[in-house]
Amino acid sequence: MAAVRLLVLGVARRQQPTHGYAVRRELLSWRADTWTNVQPGSIYHAVKQLTQEGKLRTLGTEDGGRGPGRTLFELTPAGEAEFLQRMDEALTSADMEELGAGIAFMDALPRAHVIAKLREQREGSRAIRDDLRAMVGDYPGRYEPPHATDLLELWSGVFDNLTGWTAGVLDRLERGEYRMADDT
């Protein structure tokens, strides 16, 4: 749910004022349903919950043309604060959905801030990888679970790949690629 909340807050922030269908359409155009658990129902649920929590403010209803009117909303200061907090968490996360949501909106933050957070993420992924590698063949007692080494190697490989991928994004950011919030 953390990734869905971040995605909804991010799209709402970018498009405000907006409505739930526009958020849904935008996320589906990114194919977010293939790299997160975001589904149309979860988008509408997040919009409703964020509105109830005071993170989104209702502005009124826009004529829906052929159907019912669409409720327009915008981020509140509390919504902006949650967006920024979730961005920091996402950019340092080893969870693929959460990290992906953070990468999707990294241009909303200053370049140096994103670089610092992604360096944290890279170091965390590197530490997880190293811990997993150290566990290979290290089982107390006489019984080693079947395929344990294969599983540890699989997951250490995933975190090795994530570490390398993050290094590539950092390199591009440091070279000035991508337009960031503080670029003039």
Side-chain angles (χ1 to χ4, degrees):
M1 184 64 171
V4 174
R5 283 178 72 98
L6 177 55
L7 289 167
V8 168
L9 286 166
V11 171
R13 184 178 190 266
R14 211 174 253 173
Q15 295 183 348
Q16 61 188 326
T18 193
H19 50 81
Y21 180 73
V23 172
R24 174 181 177 245
R25 187 178 56 227
E26 182 70 11
L27 291 174
L28 293 179
S29 78
W30 299 355
R31 298 189 175 176
D33 56 324
T34 63
W35 49 273
T36 68
N37 283 327
V38 68
Q39 298 296 321
S42 63
I43 294 167
Y44 292 119
H45 177 74
V47 167
K48 182 178 178 181
Q49 187 174 16
L50 288 163
T51 303
Q52 288 173 348
E53 294 172 6
K55 309 293 173 65
L56 296 175
R57 173 182 21 253
T58 302
L59 298 176
T61 304
E62 172 183 79
D63 181 25
R66 295 182 289 182
R70 296 180 178 143
T71 302
L72 291 171
F73 56 86
E74 67 181 357
L75 245 59
T76 64
E80 177 72 11
E82 181 171 335
F83 172 76
L84 295 172
Q85 175 193 348
R86 287 193 180 276
M87 282 296 295
D88 281 355
E89 292 168 2
L91 290 172
T92 58
S93 179
D95 177 273
M96 294 297 136
E97 286 188 28
E98 199 172 350
L99 178 59
I103 294 297
F105 295 107
M106 70 180 180
D107 62 334
L109 302 176
R111 183 177 305 277
H113 185 82
V114 174
I115 288 171
K117 291 298 173 186
L118 287 177
R119 284 180 180 157
E120 284 181 45
Q121 190 279 331
R122 182 185 59 192
E123 292 311 309
S125 294
R126 189 178 287 154
I128 292 169
R129 177 204 62 198
D130 293 347
D131 288 347
L132 289 166
R133 285 181 177 169
M135 287 186 235
V136 173
D138 183 26
Y139 294 95
R142 297 174 20 182
Y143 178 74
E144 180 174 318
H147 314 296
T149 298
D150 293 328
L151 292 170
L152 290 169
E153 288 174 350
L154 167 67
W155 282 104
S156 67
V158 167
F159 284 98
D160 190 44
N161 191 22
L162 180 55
T163 300
W165 175 86
T166 304
V169 174
L170 280 166
D171 181 57
R172 289 185 290 282
L173 281 164
E174 290 166 345
R175 286 195 325 254
E177 292 186 29
Y178 310 116
R179 184 159 178 81
M180 305 303 285
D182 56 343
D183 290 343
T184 56

